[in-house]
Amino acid sequence: KAQPDLPLARLATIVGAHAYALMSAQQLAEAEPLFRETLAINERIYGAGHLRTVVALNNVAICLGRQGRHAESAALLEQAIAIRREKLPKDHPDLGNSLNNAGAAYEKAGDSATALQRFSEAVELWRRAGTQPAQWTLRAMHGRARLLEQLGRTDEARAMAEELLPMTTGNAEYQGQAGVDLRTLIERLESATER
């Protein structure tokens, strides 16, 4: 629509901000209906296939994932991926972010094959774009390396983890547990290769 309903758009912003505050406070059951309300408002204003609506859809998916409802989260993220594939350039970072989020959801849901596919697509998108790696890129590379190790594809896993390691220098997330996990993964992969 050319002129969205501004009072509704403001309401979506307010409800969404409240939902984020609740999610940040780990009040996930209270946040979910507000995220869903934001999604419904955006669908009313912009339509179900609009990029602004996809952001609200993604937020519902993230909230579901934080509640441990990973299969439900992945299903919504697939909807977001489909819309972003249709509406955005093939190397757009928002598509990469959705692919990474879906990979994480599938991994936590126990669907390693689909998780690996989504992480791999995210990494390939980043390579095509030729940009500096975003946070979602680092996570996708790490997820891909983990899954390759699980599948016994040690050489590929090691190459991905070793490519990732220098990219994490100075990255706040990789100064903590994520960095420990990555270095531990590389050590395991090196040991497996030496056998």
Side-chain angles (χ1 to χ4, degrees), residues 12-28 30-38 59-60 63 66:
T13 300
I14 293 166
V15 173
H18 187 192
Y20 265 115
L22 289 169
M23 188 163 68
S24 297
Q26 300 302 312
Q27 296 177 348
L28 302 171
E30 295 83 359
E32 182 188 342
L34 295 179
F35 279 126
R36 289 187 183 277
E37 182 180 348
T38 304
N59 291 338
V60 175
C63 188
R66 289 190 183 178

Side-chain angles (χ1 to χ4, degrees), residues 67-89:
Q67 294 177 73
R69 294 158 61 188
H70 304 297
E72 291 175 75
S73 177
L76 291 182
L77 289 164
E78 285 297 327
Q79 292 177 34
I81 289 168
I83 294 166
R84 285 181 166 163
R85 279 193 208 279
E86 178 186 334
K87 307 266 183 183
L88 295 173

Side-chain angles (χ1 to χ4, degrees), residues 123-134:
V123 172
E124 288 310 309
L125 182 149
W126 163 69
R127 291 189 198 289
R128 279 194 314 268
T131 58
Q132 290 295 318

Side-chain angles (χ1 to χ4, degrees), residues 14 23 28 44 46 52 69 71 73 81-82 87 120 130 135 137 147 150 153 155 165 167-168 173 177 183 188:
I14 293 166
M23 188 163 68
L28 302 171
R44 182 172 163 198
Y46 305 107
R52 291 190 102 168
R69 294 158 61 188
S73 177
I81 289 168
K87 307 266 183 183
S120 296
Q135 193 66 36
T137 310
L147 290 163
Q150 288 174 21
R153 294 162 60 181
D155 290 340
L165 185 60
M167 296 178 191
T168 63
E173 184 172 328
Q177 189 60 47
R183 288 186 291 283
R188 273 197 320 267

